[in-house]
């Protein structure tokens, strides 16, 4: 026997194989080898040559199995919180007013810089474990609350440490161009120079999988964003963008020009932006948590994105200012209720399309050759993942073919 296999049998599989449909397989089974899916199909069709190689068998009791969930846009590493700003907004202050008055992202930057490494790691770890209990097996974590070389490196290192110490895959994104730190007040072009200058050092330390920016009137201009993208391109790093969240800056078209993995938020996305994203194969990452928490009324152009064939992902955007939630399942529900995605689109949005938004082709579907990351659910049909909210039907999570504690 040259290799051994593990059998996970007696399941209803929602494979999400192919480009549409749930890919349902009744009385399904999965064979894993090492960390990989070796074979996926109906149990009755299990190839005979594999059966003698099976050394462990798990009975999943007829439960629904989906690919592991992927949260492709989070800001999990930060100090403090902003509950007081939430109260101010409830009394009529706007997110923009608070940001312009020096609150907002800047107040979290101060709290992040003041926090110890151990505190940042402990707080982010606690948050990540909440996401994991709902079936998240891959998570993207952005920096962007450090805004100096030292503190951006620290935030990214905390994200990497989480990936080493918890049974979850972590992808890091350098978001130095998130806000202007106070020491650069009135010198935003100098700050963009610094963001670009820090990038090679962060990359050399293995801290950066992708580069992001906040292209917005309270963030960075398209010209400044372009310079950040050029620096990323020089290092061969993929880019993504916080684009057209509060206004249309033409950020999506700019990102598409750089072959961006994703453009995220997109409430104010134009027709031209959609066309550019369709041409470059850029994923639209929808963030209903931020839309909800800001009580936004401008919907992202879902029907036009769908018509243009732009893949849509859904993510938590967890951050202390605009989306303090830690439930990807709730985001699936909100993507349907608020943005009118179908349940299948929303679930594809946290699996196949979320993987694509991270540039990962080895996960997101239950297909032979992909990573053996999957969830076992206490529901009968995958459309229920979009239907129930405020409850967690996740029963078991398997990462790299290893069952992890919930
Ligand atoms: N857009 C967002 O929604 C978050 N960052 C961004 O660029 C908000 C971050 C915050 O308010 O702390
Ligand atoms: Fe964000």
């Amino acid at each position: 026997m040259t290799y051994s296999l593990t059998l996970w049998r007696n399941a209803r599989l929602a494979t999400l194989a192919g480009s549409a449909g749930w890919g349902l397989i009744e009385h399904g089974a999965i064979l894993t080898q090492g960390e990989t899916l070796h074979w996926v199909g109906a149990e009755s069709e299990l190839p005979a040559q594999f059966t003698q190689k099976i050394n462990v068998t798990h009975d999943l009791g007829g439960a629904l199995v989906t690919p592991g969930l992927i949260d492709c846009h989070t800001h999990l590493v930060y100090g403090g919180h902003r509950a007081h700003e939430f109260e101010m907004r409830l009394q009529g202050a706007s997110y923009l007013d608070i940001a312009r008055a020096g609150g907002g992202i800047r107040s979290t930057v101060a709290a992040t810089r003041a926090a110890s490494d151990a505190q940042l790691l402990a707080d982010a770890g606690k948050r990540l474990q909440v996401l994991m209990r709902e079936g998240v097996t891959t998570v993207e974590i952005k920096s962007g609350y450090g805004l100096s070389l030292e503190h951006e490196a620290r935030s990214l290192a905390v994200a990497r440490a989480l990936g080493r110490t918890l049974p979850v895959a972590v992808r890091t994104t350098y978001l130095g161009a998130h806000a202007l730190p106070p020491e650069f007040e009135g010198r935003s072009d100098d700050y963009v120079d610094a963001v670009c200058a820090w990038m090679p050092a962060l990359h050399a330390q293995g801290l950066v999988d992708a580069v992001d920016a906040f292209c917005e009137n309270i963030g960075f201009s398209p010209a400044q964003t372009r310079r950040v993208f050029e620096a990323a391109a020089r290092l061969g790093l993929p880019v993504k963008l916080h684009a057209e969240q509060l206004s249309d800056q033409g950020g999506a078209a700019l990102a598409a020009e750089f072959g961006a993995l994703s453009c995220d938020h997109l409430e104010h996305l134009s027709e031209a932006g959609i066309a550019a994203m369709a041409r470059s194969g850029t994923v639209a990452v929808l963030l209903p948590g931020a839309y909800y928490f800001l009580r936004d009324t401008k919907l992202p152009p879902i029907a036009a994105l769908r018509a243009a064939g732009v893949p849509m992902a859904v993510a938590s955007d967890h951050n202390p200012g605009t989306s303090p939630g830690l439930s990807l399942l709730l985001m699936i529900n909100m993507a349907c209720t608020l943005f009118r995605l179908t349940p299948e689109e929303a679930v594809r949005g946290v699996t196949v399309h979320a993987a694509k938004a991270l540039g990962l082709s080895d996960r997101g579907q239950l297909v032979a050759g992909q990573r053996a990351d999957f969830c076992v659910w206490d529901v009968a049909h995958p459309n229920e993942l979009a239907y129930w909210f405020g409850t967690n039907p996740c029963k078991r999570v398997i990462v790299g073919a290893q069952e992890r504690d919930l």
Side-chain angles (χ1 to χ4, degrees):
M1 195 161 91
T2 55
Y3 62 96
S4 66
L5 301 171
T6 300
L7 174 66
W8 309 79
R9 60 170 297 275
N10 192 17
R12 168 182 275 179
L13 307 178
T15 64
L16 301 170
S19 57
W22 292 108
L24 278 183
I25 299 177
E26 300 294 342
H27 307 290
I30 291 171
L31 282 173
T32 59
Q33 187 200 358
E35 296 192 343
T36 307
L37 299 173
H38 190 67
W39 180 89
V40 177
E43 205 168 324
S44 59
E45 290 165 17
L46 195 68
Q49 79 261 28
F50 295 150
T51 51
Q52 69 218 42
K53 304 224 160 84
I54 294 168
N55 68 349
V56 183
T57 298
H58 300 271
D59 186 334
L60 299 179
L64 176 75
V65 172
T66 68
L69 305 190
I70 300 171
D71 193 346
C72 67
H73 181 142
T74 83
H75 309 246
L76 280 181
V77 180
Y78 58 85
H81 64 77
R82 307 229 293 274
H84 55 289
E85 289 184 8
F86 177 51
E87 287 201 70
M88 287 166 68
R89 286 201 293 110
L90 291 174
Q91 282 157 21
S94 76
Y95 181 70
L96 284 171
D97 296 339
I98 294 168
R100 290 199 177 109
I105 295 174
R106 269 198 188 177
S107 67
T108 299
V109 170
T112 303
R113 289 178 175 180
S116 67
D117 293 11
Q119 190 67 51
L120 286 180
L121 185 67
D123 288 353
K126 242 191 269 176
R127 293 175 197 127
L128 179 50
Q129 282 173 291
V130 179
L131 291 174
M132 289 167 66
R133 280 198 283 276
E134 284 190 350
V136 170
T137 53
T138 297
V139 64
E140 184 254 19
I141 302 178
K142 300 175 195 298
S143 65
Y145 291 116
L147 309 188
S148 69
L149 177 57
E150 177 198 349
H151 290 285
E152 286 293 293
R154 221 160 64 97
S155 302
L156 292 166
V158 164
R160 279 278 186 256
L162 292 171
R164 280 195 305 274
T165 53
L166 293 171
V168 64
V170 171
R171 302 294 290 177
T172 58
T173 300
Y174 172 43
L175 178 57
H178 192 197
L180 192 64
E183 60 276 18
F184 280 87
E185 187 61 55
R187 298 187 295 128
S188 67
D189 278 316
D190 293 348
Y191 180 62
V192 172
D193 287 343
V195 166
C196 297
W198 301 335
M199 206 184 292
L202 296 170
H203 180 47
Q205 292 171 68
L207 293 174
V208 184
D209 295 323
V211 174
D212 193 350
F214 187 27
C215 185
E216 193 54 67
N217 42 38
I218 55 161
F220 297 90
S221 70
Q224 292 170 330
T225 301
R226 176 181 292 278
R227 281 160 55 210
V228 174
F229 284 178
E230 284 167 351
R234 283 195 288 277
L235 297 170
L237 287 169
V239 300
K240 6 173 76 289
L241 189 64
H242 281 72
E244 337 312 10
Q245 179 187 7
L246 308 169
S247 61
D248 180 12
Q249 301 278 319
L254 171 66
E257 190 187 318
F258 284 82
L261 291 173
S262 71
C263 290
D264 305 38
H265 287 288
L266 302 174
E267 279 77 357
H268 294 259
L269 180 63
S270 67
E271 281 294 335
I274 295 171
M277 287 175 69
R279 277 195 300 277
S280 60
T282 299
V283 177
V285 177
L286 306 171
L287 305 168
Y291 174 91
Y292 159 80
F293 195 66
L294 289 177
R295 303 185 73 227
D296 203 344
T297 50
K298 175 108 175 97
L299 284 163
I302 303 299
L305 285 164
R306 187 185 284 131
V310 174
M312 292 182 281
V314 174
S316 72
D317 191 21
H318 176 86
N319 76 74
T322 65
S323 191
L326 285 165
S327 170
L328 197 53
L329 289 174
L330 181 58
M331 298 304 110
I332 296 174
N333 172 266
M334 285 187 182
C336 298
T337 53
L338 300 177
F339 291 173
R340 314 316 280 172
L341 263 63
T342 67
E344 183 204 317
E345 285 174 326
V347 173
R348 280 188 176 263
V350 296
T351 53
V352 201
H353 293 160
K356 190 167 161 59
L358 297 177
L360 299 172
S361 55
D362 65 345
R363 65 198 73 189
Q365 295 174 311
L366 297 176
V367 170
Q370 290 228 322
R371 274 184 60 80
D373 294 347
F374 52 92
C375 301
V376 184
W377 301 97
D378 193 14
V379 300
H381 192 279
N383 63 11
E384 292 178 65
L385 299 178
Y387 167 73
W388 304 106
F389 68 93
T391 180
N392 180 12
C394 186
K395 280 209 290 200
R396 299 169 73 171
V397 181
I398 288 84
V399 183
Q402 298 293 313
E403 182 146 11
R404 78 181 182 206
D405 295 333
L406 281 184

